[in-house]
């Protein structure tokens, strides 16, 4: 029993060491990746909610997405119906 | 064969389950109902514990041929997927498809919290050896502290298949109890001031890093610990489906219907291994106690390492996010958020805790890899035996043929 | 091998299906086209009969290796899921996920109608024995009267696998013909006055009862008739996914893509067993006649018991709901509604008929359980042989090795 | 033949008896369950369609549900679009 | 077993993948990363090449037990589905469910373009024999020119399983490169005037014809070439699910989650066969060169036959639609559209090119059928050996038993 | 080598012949099918967009389809909510 507990203890110490070693390597790798491939802010979106026109064009995307979704469900062509009145928050 | 009314009636009566219902079966039926109660009314990981409980119910109806050991039975068939370690990696692929590693990438140091929480695994390992389990069994019990269902099932079926049922049930039960187990430990180990620490907003991460990450983790970790490849590799494949942006179809299937189908099969199989023989043993009680120990020590390990990180960063890390290192995604991160906002209602720790939370998944997979490196090959003969079991039905044929040969030669 | 132009041309010509197309194959191709026609243009249970018909088409193309008996072929692979009784329980899980037992719980006495309709099973059993079938075969034929596809396939593959194809086709065909078969019988057995009876609105049922119900049914019925556990247990698990309210993901998968996938495999496998050898026999004609008898008697049994309940309740039960006890959900219930509203256009029987309708599913599962209790174990040796079949391909290897040993020993 | 038909008949009688027995037990169990766990009417819903306000609050639920559904399909955040004009019947 | 700190540390170090990483493994890991790069950033058939690349990555981590040849490993399990020709037909069922044969039915003569493009298969076959491959291998390589992934995998696993990996990778890679490979050939072989030809609008097709078509194709083609039934039959079943209008549930599952699940398993299995042993060979280079030849000749064959049809119809067929006969649906049809509208921006060839495009799928399935008719049975012994492989794990048991007998007899 | 190339050549010629033969048979079959079961134009749809009434009735179909779709997703009865404002293009 004594012997096996001491074996368990040495396995435990070793295992924790391996885990920390592996994860520390991973940390350095991630830091290298983040440095190599930094986040680039996307080009500023055209101003929204300013003019009715821009809002509409934006809404069109959403309407298109919903239309496509519903079209899929209805088994009909997206050109067959039109959704209006989904306004941007 | 006779079909007189009397003979038929006798037949039906002697083949009812009542005729061979023993005390153990009855107790297991009650255990199954308790699991169903906890799953449905207490919301204990219902996606797993409901089918596990129902599988247990079916397996313990005498003569139903639904136990994992009933060759040719339905649940025995599903159980092959556990035995041959097919279903847990497929679940993990779905988990990867559902996981956003962004918070971890934004603060990679939180991987250390996922490592620190593994101390629960090893204290429990020592405790299990102390309580008389052998090293393989102790490892499988210890991994309960990893707070990760598929990992626990994978390791248990590899190192100690006879303990699969209690280990799986303990793992999922305690995962559900995280909101009860963790807060007292977290409050005991931290000061009010520490709990009020607000953390800086996370930096954004480029999509490229998110795509490269699963590939890098696979190469780095699996090269060092090849035994964990089925688990970690499939987790990362699921994540690559998610982040690559070019496999939306596969991503959607992996995170919905595929993981659901596999979960049903896996949970029924685990439930079918909960027979009186395997479950109503003193070992089960020990495992339940050790599992609670594992979760508690893991929580403490995470929080204490969080305090160390707090000190070393000059107070920029709130130690409460350490407890999320046990995994139990996303429950443990929510507990960090809750305890943090109890101390200061304007404190939002959720996203910060998601880092150590998903780190905990990687951490316990790595811990599993260490166990497989140490003990994996020594069970090779047992595993062989297991495989022989599956297709062992052919052996009688071979044996019969051989004995015919022997007979023939005798003449 | 030679690849001269002439030799190659000969090879191609001798390996066309035409070169070995026999009369039986050609007739079966026509049968397959008739099934497809009925499925597509007559809407006969198209979800099953279309893939069954197509499986039949593929299986009867000579040398295509697509018959259920062609070891190593694609449909032989799917057929293992029927032979080992894996696919029907999975379909039943989906059926459970799709079924609302509420109307049955609101009026549990309708379970008796589901029991009464089983008389069709037993009259047919006697008729089948009279026509020369043995008891196992007669049982599998009788269960057509249960009007439940997966149950019929399950029992046929267990008790009389050589009759699987005609039994499955008869069961699904007559289920589609319920709107033609039932009304004349219902009108013949009831008076105009009875048909006009309006029933009281059903009482609402608490969600708790709906959750507990599948667990109770499993315990009660499976303890009494353990052989039916794979079927009834999985039906009730699917229903628990539905009613528990905590497993929405699993419920959705079980009732959509999982049941669809399993249906495709199951139907193709059944179709692949429709070869000329197994289908173009006088037995098939007998089964078709007996199946019609089964449905008719089942309908009559339900209606007559409905009349008894009508009398005993002082006219509060409309006997027309009795015919729904055959199952064939929800078609038979709609027939009750239709015949009822033909007598009095303000009579709405649909919800009342849903009670006996789902009771019929339980009823025929119980009837299946009785057959398994009586005859299930006596086919154990056959089942063993069946399993050996699947993995029997290794036997040649073993046999070769053995004969090598024998050779070696001879010297 | 005679013998086997009489065997079939006795099996049939027995089986019908077992089926009725099992289902009668089930009936009593269900009746006990329904008695033990009776249906409780949910607390009366706040009056609807009376005032614009209450209707709106009710509609909000539906809008939220649809919004979430569509968000899932569109792979966008529910906060990015708004559906109006789903009126209660 | 010893668990001293030193012994354990040694154990862990000797079981890392690094300890047995050889040059070949490292090169294959790089190859895997290149495939992932092409799939994600160059959008080379990402639904296939991403999981193929990831499977290759996993398979080449030493000691991970993830190669297709590692008995008992996870990917070896999926690989059985390729070896036994189960997964490609299931993918084809999904393809059928996704395919609209309408444009082909509206202009059936375009089937000839699908036939003409098969010339790429046979020129490549001759080239492969010239480069030293045997006839079976050459056939499997030639079918790359069919531009159809599942067909290539099906034929490779049947006729030359050791070449599966390079053939599958070449097939999917060149399918992605169709927009680069085809236009120069198309422009070289056509005149400006030909490219400007506008085609008449297609006639509408009745739904009945669309329903009958898959049944007729199955009967006609599979009777003539029975070996292709698993592939062509399942393609047509999927299409019947689509067109019949009565199996919407099955259609939806076949074209979404079922094909997705099968694709994941199939692609991982193919990837797992890309080991250094099987891939880093001079044969792979030859196959890559031959694959490019196959695509180019197929394109040329289609265009030249298009020119012939143009002549014979008095200029009513634009030869550019001929190149779509290679299949690679719908990419090749889009290339026809693009090259056509480059010549005259008001020229819309897309729908006209969809006819030969889907004809190409049928054409290469027929070509596959010819190969199976010619060579299919001569590999029967090999296939037998393959099956023995799968369940060969029992052999040691049988062998052990036999040697015990031998030992016993010696005494 | 010579021999096997000539074998390959004869296999190729034969195979192309078989492919053309099979596909020509298919062409004739399709032509027969198309002749036997010709396309019939569906009866002309009632004039749309002319009167508000007809448009509405048409829209009702689409609304019903969308309603059913959403009802399925929301797990609610289609009778519980109503969608308006999906106008025909
Ligand atoms: Na963990
Ligand atoms: Na029934
Ligand atoms: Na092609």
């Amino acid at each position: 029993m004594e012997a096996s507990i001491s074996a368990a203890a040495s396995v435990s110490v070793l295992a924790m060491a391996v885990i920390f070693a592996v994860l520390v390597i991973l940390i350095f790798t991630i830091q290298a990746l983040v440095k190599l491939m930094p986040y680039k802010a996307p080009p500023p979106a055209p101003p929204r909610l300013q003019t009715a026109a821009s809002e509409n064009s934006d809404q069109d995307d959403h309407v298109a997405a919903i239309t496509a979704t519903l079209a899929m469900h209805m088994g009909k062509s997206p050109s067959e119906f039109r959704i209006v009145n989904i306004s941007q928050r | 064969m006779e079909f007189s009314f009397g003979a038929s009636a006798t037949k039906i009566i002697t083949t009812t389950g009542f005729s061979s219902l023993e005390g153990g079966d009855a107790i297991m039926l009650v255990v199954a109902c308790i699991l169903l109660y906890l799953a449905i009314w207490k919301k204990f990981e219902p996606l797993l514990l409901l089918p596990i409980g129902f599988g247990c119910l079916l397996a313990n109806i005498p003569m139903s041929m639904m136990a994992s050991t009933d060759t040719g039975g339905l649940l025995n068939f599903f159980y092959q997927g556990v035995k041959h370690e097919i279903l847990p990696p497929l679940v993990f692929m779905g988990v990867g498809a559902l996981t956003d590693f962004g918070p971890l990438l934004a603060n990679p140091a939180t991987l250390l919290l996922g490592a620190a929480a593994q101390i629960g695994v090893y204290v429990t390992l020592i405790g299990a050896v102390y309580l008389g389990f052998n090293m393989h069994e102790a490892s499988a019990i210890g991994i309960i502290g990893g707070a990760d269902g598929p990992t626990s099932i994978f390791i248990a079926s590899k190192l100690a298949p006879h303990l699969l049922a209690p280990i799986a049930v303990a793992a999922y039960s305690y995962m559900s109890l995280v909101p009860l187990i963790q807060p007292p430990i977290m409050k005991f180990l931290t000061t009010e001031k520490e709990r009020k620490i607000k953390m800086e907003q996370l930096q954004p991460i480029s999509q490229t890093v998110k795509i490269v990450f699963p590939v890098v983790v696979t190469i780095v970790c699996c090269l060092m610990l090849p035994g964990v490849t089925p688990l970690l590799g499939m987790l990362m494949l699921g994540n690559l489906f998610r982040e690559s942006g070019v496999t939306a179809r596969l991503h959607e299937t992996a995170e919905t219907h595929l993981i659901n189908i596999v979960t049903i099969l896996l949970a029924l199989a685990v439930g079918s291994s909960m027979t009186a023989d395997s479950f109503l043993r003193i070992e089960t009680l020990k495992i339940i106690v050790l599992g609670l120990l594992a979760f508690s020590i893991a929580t403490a390990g995470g929080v204490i390492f969080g305090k160390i990180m707090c000190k070393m960063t000059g107070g920029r890390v709130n130690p409460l996010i350490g407890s999320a290192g046990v995994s139990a995604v996303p429950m443990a991160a929510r507990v960090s958020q809750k305890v943090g906002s109890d101390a200061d209602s304007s404190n939002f720790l959720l996203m910060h805790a998601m880092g150590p939370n998903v780190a905990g998944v990687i951490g316990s997979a790595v811990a599993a890899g260490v166990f497989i490196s140490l003990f994996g090959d020594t069970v090779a003969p047992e595993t062989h035996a297991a495989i022989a079991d599956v297709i062992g039905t052919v052996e009688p044929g071979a044996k019969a043929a051989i004995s015919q040969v022997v007979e023939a030669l005798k003449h």
Side-chain angles (χ1 to χ4, degrees), chain B residues 114 117-118 145-148 325-328 357 359-365:
Chain B
Q118 306 310 318
D148 213 298
V326 298
S327 29
N357 210 192
V361 178
I362 297 178
S364 36

Side-chain angles (χ1 to χ4, degrees), chain B residues 223-224 226 229 233 249 253 257 374-375 377-378 391 394 402 409:
Chain B
L223 265 181
M224 286 193 272
T229 307
R249 283 181 73 110
T253 292
H257 294 289
L374 283 172
F375 312 126
D377 58 340
T378 63
I391 47 175
V394 78
I402 289 164
L409 287 171

Side-chain angles (χ1 to χ4, degrees), chain B residues 11-168:
Chain B
K11 186 81 185 288
I12 284 183
I13 289 166
T14 55
T15 54
T16 64
F18 291 114
S19 67
S20 56
L21 186 74
E22 291 172 18
D25 303 325
I27 295 174
M28 288 311 296
L29 291 179
V30 173
V31 169
C33 289
I34 292 172
L35 279 180
L36 291 175
Y37 172 81
L38 293 175
I40 298 171
W41 281 282
K42 296 294 165 192
K43 309 250 188 315
F44 272 33
E45 291 283 321
L47 293 177
L48 268 298
L49 286 187
L50 187 145
I52 287 179
F54 208 86
C56 173
L57 186 74
L58 299 178
N60 287 285
I61 290 172
M63 307 172 71
S64 69
M65 291 290 287
M66 295 290 263
S68 67
T69 47
D70 290 328
T71 309
L74 181 70
L75 300 190
N76 172 271
F77 181 76
F78 300 166
Y79 187 72
Q80 305 305 322
V82 176
K83 203 174 196 170
H84 295 291
E85 296 153 16
I86 294 161
L87 298 178
L90 286 175
V91 171
F92 243 43
M93 183 168 75
V95 171
L98 285 160
T99 301
D100 177 8
F101 285 108
L104 171 64
L105 295 170
N107 191 1
T110 55
L111 269 171
L112 295 174
L113 295 168
Q118 306 310 318
I119 191 73
V121 173
Y122 298 101
V123 171
T124 309
L125 166 76
I126 298 173
V129 169
Y130 180 78
L131 289 182
F133 291 100
N134 70 33
M135 202 68 113
H136 286 64
E137 294 167 336
S139 303
I141 296 167
I143 210 83
I144 296 174
D148 213 298
T151 305
S152 296
I153 292 172
F154 187 85
I155 290 292
S157 68
K158 200 174 194 87
L159 300 183
H162 54 294
L163 299 181
L164 173 63
I167 287 175

Side-chain angles (χ1 to χ4, degrees), chain B residues 374-388:
Chain B
L374 283 172
F375 312 126
D377 58 340
T378 63
V379 286
E382 288 179 45
T383 307
H384 248 294
I387 292 171

Side-chain angles (χ1 to χ4, degrees), chain A residues 58-81:
Chain A
D58 206 305
Q59 175 169 331
D60 282 359
D61 283 347
H62 300 136
V63 168
I66 297 175
T67 306
T69 301
L70 292 172
M72 199 181 68
H73 279 292
M74 295 164 65
K76 292 184 180 175
S77 154
S79 62
E80 286 180 60
F81 59 89

